[in-house]
Amino acid sequence: MCVDGDGRITGNDATKFFAMSKLSRPELKQVKSLCSYCLFVISVSRLDTFDDRQVLMPSVENNAGTAEVKPSLSVNMFTSKSIKKVSFFHLAIQIYLMTVFLHIVLSTLSLSWGGGGVELTYLLCMICLFLYPNLLDHWHLFLVQKPQTSLTAVTSITDGLKKLYIEKLKPLEATYRFNDFASPSLTDSDFDAKPMVMLLGQYSTGKTTFIKHLLKANYPGAHIGPEPTTDRFVVVMSGPDERSIPGNTIAVQADMPFNGLTTFGGAFLSKFECSQMPNSLLEHITFVDTPGVLSGEKQRTQRSYDFTGVISWFAAKCDLILLLFDPHKLDISDEFKRVISSLRGHDDKIRVVLNKADQVDTQQLMRVYGALMWSLGKVLNTPEVMRVYIGSFNDKPVNEAAVGPIGKDLFEKEQDDLLVDLIDIPKKACDRRINEFVKRARAAKIHAYIISHLKKEMPAMMGKAKTQQRLIDNLEDVFAKIQKEFHLPAGDFPDAEHFREVLRTYSIDKFEKVKPKMIQAVDDMLGYDIPELLKNFRNPYQ
């Protein structure tokens, strides 16, 4: 039989199934009546398989087609922990389908019953049930096969990831509202987008000049000066001509990977724009220029949008994140600390650039480098040393009078290393996309465990508000319990404070219970489908 991708038999499949039996409507009706009549016998012989409920003796049609009414009989069923409980209706359907299935098998084998018809088939079915009671739990395995995602029709790794996301990961995300807690659902444009490089730093550290230096030209709308000039997020990408597109327009274009930014509201979109220009480098890489991070008294002025949230959104999309520092601006402000903290989980993308290094001499540069590493060590909270590029990334010649010939050679080598890192981005983009996809799948699975566990802890009737508040207050304990129960790594769990903040806006009682089939589908995707995809297709840049 044919089944849909979700493993459920559709109405058309059921019609084909009954047609295969070649039984007339009266015969199928007779099978149904026989199944209903025999339920009383089964309920007595298998008392411990039912819940505590009343079972009424059903009416059975005789051979004349009239209903012979049996007196209602109430039977108090007992339960057993050792045997799986089944419902009255479920058992009737199972026997009914099993009888028709057995008739199809016997008809296919051309076995004759000597004119006995469907009654003898049903009798054989009942004998099998009494000899092997658990047959009801297993007979349908011959009928319904485990759905598999066919990757034969895909043409590339990106195409395969799209298919796997739509069929296996997106249903899990939608069921447990992963989009509201983590990041919006992915679209085709997210998979097809060019690699992105985001530049972060305080004002006047050379972010816009850095992009101009690489492109060897100014992009539309670029402003450079000692004061905070870039007051908005600017995406610099390839286009047929030089133009600037407003944020509200670019965020609703289906072929652009910025639809998720609409969640930050109009206040942000008014501070967001896209600059397009024809450039050979932009055909492979997209740059994201950001407003200067505030420091001192300026950081007390609240922005009109969630600046840290926007940075976190771009960090998940970008392939490389450059943190730019100025030798005269090594202090890390409170807002900069929040920005760096929002990069949690993307440590492998971060590179540090000590720009304008030719403004100090060699001895001062050594001290500046040490102070920078000390400041970063306090914020990043990682034992690994970040890769730091030292140089002066602008169109002016290096100030050899300050740094000397040794410093000039150092800057040239550092610049070459950074350029190699940038050139390798398109080659690593495919691997990065797979890495982010797998990371998202694991996060979605853990999110499903968390939501279903919270749902399970909620009472059926009274005290829901108090229980929800208790669960939200003790969210760290909930995470630890889930981690221990399912043997999950602690580093893959979401930030408890952010999760708690979003969870307050929901009623936990409305969440879905755990759906093992959905979680198993994601496990199969991670364990079989993605390795098979990598086996069949190579990186297009190699």
Side-chain angles (χ1 to χ4, degrees):
M1 280 186 64
C2 298
V3 294
D4 290 335
D6 58 359
R8 296 179 296 182
I9 300 177
T10 64
N12 291 332
D13 295 331
T15 302
K16 293 178 183 178
F17 173 65
F18 289 120
M20 290 169 61
S21 68
K22 297 180 181 179
L23 295 173
S24 62
R25 286 181 177 271
E27 287 176 318
L28 288 171
K29 198 172 183 181
Q30 189 177 3
V31 174
K32 178 182 176 182
S33 300
L34 287 169
C35 293
S36 301
Y37 181 76
C38 194
L39 276 174
F40 176 71
V41 179
I42 295 179
S43 65
V44 174
S45 62
R46 298 181 68 187
L47 291 177
D48 52 356
T49 64
F50 292 90
D51 295 327
D52 295 334
R53 63 184 69 179
Q54 291 184 341
V55 180
L56 298 180
M57 189 68 172
S59 62
V60 182
E61 294 184 2
N62 55 25
N63 292 331
T66 60
E68 179 183 357
V69 181
K70 298 291 181 180
S72 297
L73 179 64
S74 177
V75 182
N76 186 30
M77 298 300 178
F78 299 94
T79 59
S80 173
K81 293 183 179 179
S82 60
I83 300 179
K84 180 182 178 181
K85 300 175 183 178
V86 295
S87 68
F88 185 91
F89 176 76
H90 177 71
L91 188 59
I93 295 297
Q94 289 277 57
I95 297 175
Y96 180 39
L97 293 176
M98 182 176 174
T99 303
V100 178
F101 176 67
L102 186 59
H103 186 83
I104 294 173
V105 173
L106 295 175
S107 299
T108 304
L109 297 176
S110 301
L111 295 179
S112 174
W113 290 99
V118 72
E119 292 89 348
L120 289 179
T121 305
Y122 174 74
L123 179 62
L124 178 61
C125 176
M126 299 311 301
I127 293 173
C128 292
L129 284 176
F130 278 101
L131 292 177
Y132 182 47
N134 291 330
L135 186 62
L136 280 176
D137 298 330
H138 304 293
W139 76 273
H140 60 277
L141 295 178
F142 297 100
L143 194 63
V144 181
Q145 295 182 352
K146 183 179 179 181
Q148 294 289 338
T149 300
S150 175
L151 296 175
T152 56
V154 302
T155 58
S156 64
I157 291 180
T158 302
D159 193 25
L161 291 179
K162 291 180 189 177
K163 187 177 181 68
L164 290 174
Y165 178 74
I166 293 173
E167 294 185 2
K168 295 195 172 183
L169 185 54
K170 191 174 182 179
L172 183 74
E173 292 183 358
T175 300
Y176 296 100
R177 308 187 184 190
F178 178 74
N179 314 330
D180 299 332
F181 285 81
S183 60
S185 298
L186 301 178
T187 61
D188 288 348
S189 58
D190 291 312
F191 291 97
D192 298 329
K194 294 183 179 69
M196 287 196 290
V197 178
M198 179 169 63
L199 288 83
L200 288 172
Q202 298 185 44
Y203 68 91
S204 192
T205 54
K207 299 184 294 297
T208 305
T209 305
F210 183 91
I211 297 175
K212 176 189 173 184
H213 176 64
L214 294 177
L215 300 180
K216 295 180 173 30
N218 272 325
Y219 63 80
H223 299 287
I224 299 173
E227 75 283 359
T229 50
T230 305
D231 63 341
R232 60 190 63 226
F233 283 81
V234 182
V235 175
V236 186
M237 59 194 312
S238 177
D241 53 4
E242 294 190 5
R243 60 171 179 161
S244 295
I245 305 175
N248 284 284
T249 304
I250 200 73
V252 296
Q253 292 189 14
D255 59 338
M256 295 290 183
F258 307 114
N259 302 95
L261 291 172
T262 56
T263 58
F264 295 101
F268 164 72
L269 293 178
S270 64
K271 297 290 186 180
F272 172 58
E273 69 178 33
C274 173
S275 293
Q276 293 185 343
M277 60 182 294
N279 188 280
S280 58
L281 180 60
L282 293 178
E283 292 178 2
H284 305 285
I285 300 175
T286 297
F287 291 95
V288 180
D289 196 3
T290 62
V293 178
L294 301 178
S295 61
E297 291 295 325
K298 298 185 183 68
Q299 64 184 325
R300 297 185 181 181
T301 305
Q302 296 294 324
R303 299 181 190 265
S304 60
Y305 58 91
D306 183 7
F307 181 75
T308 306
V310 174
I311 294 293
S312 180
W313 187 92
F314 273 109
K317 303 285 184 183
C318 287
D319 294 74
L320 197 67
I321 303 171
L322 298 180
L323 296 181
L324 273 74
F325 288 89
D326 187 315
H328 302 291
K329 294 187 180 71
L330 295 180
D331 60 310
I332 299 179
S333 63
D334 293 339
E335 186 177 58
F336 207 179
K337 286 180 181 178
R338 292 194 297 270
V339 166
I340 295 176
S341 298
S342 70
L343 304 179
R344 176 178 175 265
H346 307 289
D347 301 10
D348 56 324
K349 303 179 183 180
I350 300 176
R351 304 290 187 273
V352 178
V353 177
L354 181 57
N355 198 18
K356 302 181 181 180
D358 61 348
Q359 294 182 358
V360 295
D361 58 35
T362 307
Q363 183 181 15
Q364 290 176 328
L365 180 61
M366 180 180 65
R367 293 174 178 171
V368 165
Y369 180 83
L372 175 62
M373 297 304 293
W374 179 82
S375 299
L376 287 174
K378 292 176 61 178
V379 179
L380 292 173
N381 292 325
T382 175
E384 292 84 7
V385 177
M386 301 299 300
R387 178 68 167 94
V388 179
Y389 296 97
I390 304 174
S392 184
F393 300 95
N394 53 53
D395 297 331
K396 298 178 181 179
V398 176
N399 185 6
E400 193 171 352
V403 298
I406 298 179
K408 182 180 179 181
D409 292 340
L410 172 66
F411 290 174
E412 291 176 353
K413 291 179 180 178
E414 290 287 292
Q415 181 166 329
D416 291 342
D417 289 346
L418 180 56
L419 290 176
V420 169
D421 226 352
L422 292 172
I423 293 172
D424 284 343
I425 290 177
K427 296 180 182 179
K428 298 177 181 178
C430 185
D431 296 332
R432 177 78 65 185
R433 191 164 286 124
I434 295 171
N435 182 66
E436 293 298 320
F437 186 82
V438 172
K439 188 189 299 184
R440 183 184 182 95
R442 287 176 176 164
K445 191 175 81 167
I446 290 178
H447 178 81
Y449 280 132
I450 294 172
I451 295 297
S452 58
H453 178 84
L454 293 172
K455 168 71 174 179
K456 185 177 66 174
E457 294 293 317
M458 291 295 291
M461 296 291 292
M462 307 279 294
K464 292 183 179 180
K466 289 184 178 180
T467 304
Q468 173 159 337
Q469 188 59 46
R470 175 177 56 82
L471 290 172
I472 292 176
D473 293 340
N474 301 314
L475 202 55
E476 290 83 0
D477 297 335
V478 173
F479 285 3
K481 187 175 181 180
I482 296 171
Q483 177 192 351
K484 184 177 181 181
E485 181 180 355
F486 296 102
H487 307 288
L488 300 170
D492 289 349
F493 277 76
D495 180 64
E497 194 58 40
H498 172 72
F499 199 93
R500 183 182 290 113
E501 183 180 346
V502 180
L503 190 61
R504 289 190 207 277
T505 62
Y506 286 94
S507 175
I508 296 179
D509 190 54
K510 303 296 183 182
F511 288 148
E512 294 284 346
K513 294 181 180 179
V514 64
K515 295 182 182 292
K517 286 186 178 179
M518 282 189 173
I519 295 177
Q520 184 60 46
V522 174
D523 286 335
D524 292 341
M525 179 188 72
L526 295 174
Y528 304 103
D529 295 331
I530 292 181
E532 187 69 18
L533 188 66
L534 296 176
K535 180 181 176 183
N536 294 335
F537 297 97
R538 297 184 61 187
N539 189 333
Y541 287 95
Q542 291 180 348

